[in-house]
Amino acid sequence: MGFRKIKAVYKKEMIDLLRDKKTLIMMVLVPLILYPLIMIGAMLITSAIASNIQTGEYDVAVLYEEKEALHSGFDRAEFERFLTDSEDELEYHLKIVDSTSPGEALLAEEIDALIIVEEWDKPVFNVQYLSSVTNSSAASDMIEDKLKLYSEFIEEKLLNDLHLDVDAIMNPISVEWQDKSTKEESLGSILGAILPFLLIVSILMGAIYPAIDTTAGEKERGTLETLLTLPVRNDELIMGKFLAVATVAVVSALLNLLSMAFMGAYMYSMILVADHESTVVNLTEFIPAVLIVILCVVVFALFISALAMCVTTFAKSFKEANNYLTPLLLVVMFTGYIGFIPNIEFNSLMASIPVVNICLLINNILVFKYSFATIIITLVTNVIYAALAVMLLSKLYNSEDILFSEGGVSLQIFTDRRNLKKGGVPNFSDAVLVIAVSMLLILYVGSILQMKYLMGGLLATQLMIIAVPVFFAWYTKKDMRETFSLKVPKIPHVFGAVFMEIGVFIVVMLVSLVLTTIWPEDAQNVGNSFEILLEGVGFVPALLIMALAPAVCEEALFRGYLYSASKKKFKPYTAMLIVAAVFGIYHLSLVKFFTTGILGFAFCYVVYRTESIVTSSVMHFLNNLVSVVVMFYGDRLAKAIPFLFQETAAVSDVLLLLATAVFCVGAGNFLIGIGRKKA
């Protein structure tokens, strides 16, 4: 790889990017000027609103109702003086007004609140207000505070009348609070929740425009062909473009960090002026943390830049690239919220998950929790992910179909059916739409049906799952046999699928054992949901609905419609990975994402080798059959095969299971290869 050529490409891309006003605005203007203005403006507006609410005058009507002859000596005049007193510790401005129809006046917003005092043996205060009206809601909060003070005032008065020690009775215990965290740790805890999210978003925003400009922008301007004719290899071209995008992303993130530091220093100085003694913080202790944060910014910028360029390479225009990047932006932002979740253990596994590792690492080091193992894992894995993304980007640039395609998204479902030709399999764009529609139906309709009708709702959900792809395939006139791999399998292929399922099931069981120790709550929630669904249901209905129905309906959607469309656009193993990932996401569980992902890949592999969805349906049925049998006859199985139900497994048992899995997968692979035509 020629570094001089990379340097030349890098220089050319940086000059082009710095000429672009959009890049300069996103890189310089937004972090250095706009963010401080937004933060200061938000503070001023919030302060003005709070001051306006505090000093505003609110009209309150008081209505007295006598319910019994018994009274507690309630003094109405004293209560009204207490309510309207603006010189007490609260300094609220409540004004009592007369109203002939206070209820109607409240609804008409002529008064802010109504207090109905019902005089039983003790007064009962019924406060009526409008939560949808700002002034009325504020008045109700003020009345609540006033009534608390009034209650304390009456308590003290009654105790004094009885000549009792007011303080001893009203404050029988004394509590002292001591925060053993240093002020630096407390400040770091606050920063650790907010700063990671802001940084990853700023890095992504900084990478978006240069990534679009260096990929889709080249296509839109028609300059990509010229670049490809130069005496520069594709890997050198990609590396120069990648380094330019990463540079802009890093600079943008560092400017954001600098802007946040200036704002933090400004706010800190303002706090010091107000209360110097209680807020002195030794900022030099944060220097090691800041250095690690900068390292995190650099390695994450490398990863996110390469990832953004991979996405925008598929686009033909600037507008299309923006549309493609929207899901990436949403996923990164959603994942970044993990920094706001308390008590998440930052272990070696978390340190290897992209985005999550950066957020948790910054969170930990800002409270001075230094683990060099997790720091190294986080930094190294991000570099590895960036390298993999660059390798993928290089492959994309070697594909003329991607570089010089017309772009756009072709959705046949929106085409007049009369203009569609019969035959073939769905486009990948249609498959994405089918998956999106199916997931939305499952989330909004299926979940409600399952909560209301339990097993009946689960069956209805499965029928929806198969109805969507079948309808789309029918409307677009696709070949049903080819789309859903509807082919009668050979007998050896069926036995091969059974052996494959046994081997893969053992692997999934061992993986699940590990994941359950990491996310025990998630695994428990999955088990509880099955117990609720199975309440009052017999074995045979459960077998039909939980084992047979998914083996038909889910296979039609994933190993049928989605896999055939993915295989048309991508290489077979890439298509298998896509289907496996979507199948894992479909189950909406951290634990099941990995286990069902493994199963989904195995199911796809068997369909690919046998060209029949029947074989994957057999595997799916057997897998779910075991789960149903365990739920109904788990105690008997635990007695018959105790080592399979232990929470921890001995090394010898694990080795035995792995050996069995390898043998079964090998035997299954051999059987499904019998009679298969060579490509």
Side-chain angles (χ1 to χ4, degrees):
M1 187 179 292
F3 290 101
R4 291 181 62 186
K5 294 179 180 179
I6 293 175
K7 181 181 177 181
V9 174
Y10 173 78
K11 184 178 179 181
K12 175 259 180 192
E13 294 296 341
M14 287 300 299
I15 292 172
D16 288 344
L17 289 172
L18 293 176
R19 284 175 181 167
D20 185 14
K21 294 180 181 179
K22 292 178 181 178
T23 304
L24 289 174
I25 289 172
M26 292 302 299
M27 187 171 66
V28 179
L29 184 64
V30 171
L32 290 183
I33 298 176
L34 191 57
Y35 284 165
L37 289 177
I38 290 174
M39 295 179 69
I40 293 174
M43 289 168 51
L44 292 175
I45 291 172
T46 304
S47 176
I49 291 173
S51 176
N52 184 55
I53 291 174
Q54 176 73 22
T55 58
E57 187 175 77
Y58 301 91
D59 294 334
V60 180
V62 181
L63 183 63
Y64 299 97
E65 294 183 1
E66 293 186 5
K67 297 292 183 180
E68 294 284 348
L70 299 174
H71 297 292
S72 60
F74 173 64
D75 190 334
R76 298 180 182 181
E78 183 181 61
F79 166 68
E80 292 182 2
R81 284 196 302 272
F82 201 93
L83 186 67
T84 57
D85 184 11
S86 60
E87 302 296 330
D88 60 7
E89 58 187 272
L90 296 175
E91 297 183 355
Y92 293 154
H93 299 275
L94 298 173
K95 178 184 177 183
I96 296 177
V97 297
D98 295 327
S99 177
T100 55
S101 302
E104 296 177 2
L106 176 63
L107 295 175
E109 300 183 23
E110 295 173 0
I111 61 174
D112 298 309
L114 168 63
I115 303 175
I116 300 176
V117 184
E118 300 174 355
E119 296 189 49
W120 298 72
D121 54 338
K122 65 177 182 180
V124 177
F125 297 89
N126 180 6
V127 182
Q128 298 181 5
Y129 66 101
L130 302 173
S131 61
S132 58
V133 179
T134 303
N135 283 355
S136 182
S137 180
S140 70
D141 293 336
M142 292 180 177
I143 292 170
E144 181 182 9
D145 294 338
K146 281 283 188 177
L147 289 176
K148 286 180 181 178
L149 283 181
Y150 182 67
S151 178
E152 294 174 2
F153 168 73
I154 296 299
E155 288 174 3
E156 292 183 12
K157 184 177 179 182
L158 292 174
L159 292 172
N160 282 325
D161 291 343
L162 295 173
H163 304 290
L164 297 174
D165 189 338
V166 175
D167 184 66
I169 295 175
M170 295 187 66
N171 303 297
I173 64 171
S174 179
V175 180
E176 294 182 357
W177 300 92
Q178 289 186 340
D179 184 4
K180 290 299 183 180
S181 294
T182 63
K183 293 175 183 177
E184 291 76 18
E185 289 172 340
S186 300
L187 177 60
S189 177
I190 298 171
L191 293 175
I194 303 171
L195 189 61
F197 178 78
L198 295 177
L199 280 178
I200 63 170
V201 172
S202 65
I203 292 171
L204 183 57
M205 295 301 293
I208 282 177
Y209 285 105
I212 294 174
D213 189 73
T214 55
T215 53
E218 296 276 14
K219 296 181 186 179
E220 194 170 25
R221 293 189 297 269
T223 56
L224 181 61
E225 292 85 349
T226 306
L227 278 177
L228 293 175
T229 59
L230 295 175
V232 179
R233 298 204 313 266
N234 272 7
D235 55 351
E236 296 168 341
L237 178 66
I238 290 303
M239 186 57 66
K241 286 178 172 289
F242 163 68
L243 291 176
V245 174
T247 300
V248 175
V250 169
V251 172
S252 176
L254 292 178
L255 288 174
N256 274 275
L257 188 61
L258 187 64
S259 177
M260 294 174 198
F262 284 149
M263 275 303 303
Y266 170 75
M267 294 174 66
Y268 177 62
S269 62
M270 296 296 290
I271 294 171
L272 279 180
V273 172
D275 186 6
H276 181 273
E277 292 298 327
S278 61
T279 54
V280 176
V281 176
N282 185 9
L283 297 178
T284 57
E285 293 191 16
F286 287 98
I287 292 177
V290 170
L291 295 176
I292 297 176
V293 168
I294 292 173
L295 277 177
C296 292
V297 166
V298 173
V299 296
F300 185 70
L302 294 174
F303 166 62
I304 211 68
S305 299
L307 190 60
M309 290 179 70
C310 287
V311 174
T312 55
T313 300
F314 290 94
K316 189 71 176 177
S317 64
F318 197 96
K319 180 180 178 181
E320 190 180 334
N322 269 303
N323 294 334
Y324 287 175
L325 281 171
T326 299
L328 176 64
L329 179 62
L330 293 176
V331 169
V332 171
M333 290 178 66
F334 178 77
T335 311
Y337 275 109
I338 195 169
F340 296 99
I341 303 174
N343 302 325
I344 292 184
E345 183 183 358
F346 186 45
N347 49 33
S348 56
L349 177 64
M350 289 293 190
S352 61
I353 301 175
V355 184
V356 171
N357 51 14
I358 293 294
C359 292
L360 294 182
L361 176 59
I362 295 175
N363 192 308
N364 274 256
I365 61 176
L366 286 175
V367 291
F368 309 103
K369 293 180 180 178
Y370 294 99
S371 171
F372 290 102
T374 53
I375 292 173
I376 295 299
I377 292 172
T378 300
L379 298 178
V380 170
T381 52
N382 274 277
V383 172
I384 292 173
Y385 294 143
L388 292 174
V390 171
M391 290 171 60
L392 174 60
L393 190 61
S394 181
K395 287 184 176 292
L396 294 176
Y397 263 72
N398 285 327
S399 172
E400 292 185 5
D401 182 52
I402 293 173
L403 289 182
F404 303 112
S405 64
E406 291 301 318
V409 177
S410 175
L411 291 173
Q412 293 185 343
I413 192 65
F414 296 126
T415 305
D416 191 335
R417 194 167 186 266
R418 292 172 295 183
N419 299 329
L420 294 173
K421 295 181 180 180
K422 292 184 179 180
V425 297
N427 292 334
F428 186 70
S429 304
D430 282 318
V432 172
L433 180 60
V434 165
I435 291 296
V437 171
S438 301
M439 293 289 284
L440 288 173
L441 285 174
I442 293 165
L443 185 62
Y444 291 109
V445 180
S447 58
I448 295 174
L449 290 174
Q450 290 175 43
M451 286 189 290
K452 190 171 183 179
Y453 301 108
L454 299 180
M455 292 297 284
L458 182 59
L459 178 60
T461 304
Q462 291 295 327
L463 294 176
M464 284 192 300
I465 289 172
I466 194 173
V468 174
V470 169
F471 170 77
F472 271 65
W474 166 81
Y475 183 86
T476 55
K477 299 181 180 181
K478 298 306 172 190
D479 186 331
M480 293 289 186
R481 184 182 179 87
E482 189 179 359
T483 298
F484 295 101
S485 300
L486 299 176
K487 177 184 175 183
V488 178
K490 295 180 174 65
I491 298 300
H493 293 175
V494 176
F495 283 103
V498 173
F499 273 100
M500 287 286 286
E501 169 57 28
I502 295 171
V504 174
F505 181 83
I506 293 172
V507 173
V508 167
M509 184 178 65
L510 294 174
V511 172
S512 180
L513 190 66
V514 175
L515 295 177
T516 302
T517 60
I518 300 172
W519 295 299
E521 297 85 0
D522 189 71
Q524 183 65 35
N525 291 336
V526 173
N528 292 339
S529 63
F530 279 123
E531 290 178 5
I532 294 170
L533 287 172
L534 289 171
E535 188 176 351
V537 177
F539 176 75
V540 174
L543 184 66
L544 294 174
I545 296 174
M546 300 187 71
L548 183 59
V552 176
C553 302
E554 292 179 8
E555 288 306 301
L557 175 61
F558 293 102
R559 260 63 63 180
Y561 198 95
L562 178 59
Y563 178 59
S564 63
S566 302
K567 190 172 57 174
K568 178 182 177 181
K569 185 175 180 65
F570 304 101
K571 293 181 180 179
Y573 285 96
T574 304
M576 292 178 202
L577 287 172
I578 291 172
V579 175
V582 175
F583 190 55
I585 295 170
Y586 157 78
H587 286 83
L588 301 176
S589 165
L590 285 172
V591 172
K592 299 197 78 175
F593 171 78
F594 296 98
T595 54
T596 54
I598 295 171
L599 286 170
F601 186 86
F603 295 165
C604 277
Y605 175 75
V606 172
V607 173
Y608 167 65
R609 294 292 304 277
T610 64
E611 300 177 351
S612 172
I613 200 172
V614 176
T615 51
S616 67
S617 295
V618 169
M619 294 176 68
H620 200 149
F621 174 77
L622 292 175
N623 184 80
N624 290 7
L625 170 64
V626 174
S627 301
V628 174
V629 170
V630 168
M631 284 186 284
F632 277 90
Y633 306 108
D635 295 337
R636 299 181 188 179
L637 288 174
K639 293 179 182 178
I641 322 173
F643 75 94
L644 291 180
F645 291 83
Q646 296 173 357
E647 293 185 1
T648 56
V651 176
S652 57
D653 293 337
V654 172
L655 293 176
L656 177 62
L657 288 172
L658 286 175
T660 305
V662 171
F663 171 78
C664 290
V665 170
N669 198 44
F670 171 77
L671 289 172
I672 62 177
I674 294 176
R676 183 173 181 267
K677 295 180 180 179
K678 293 184 178 180

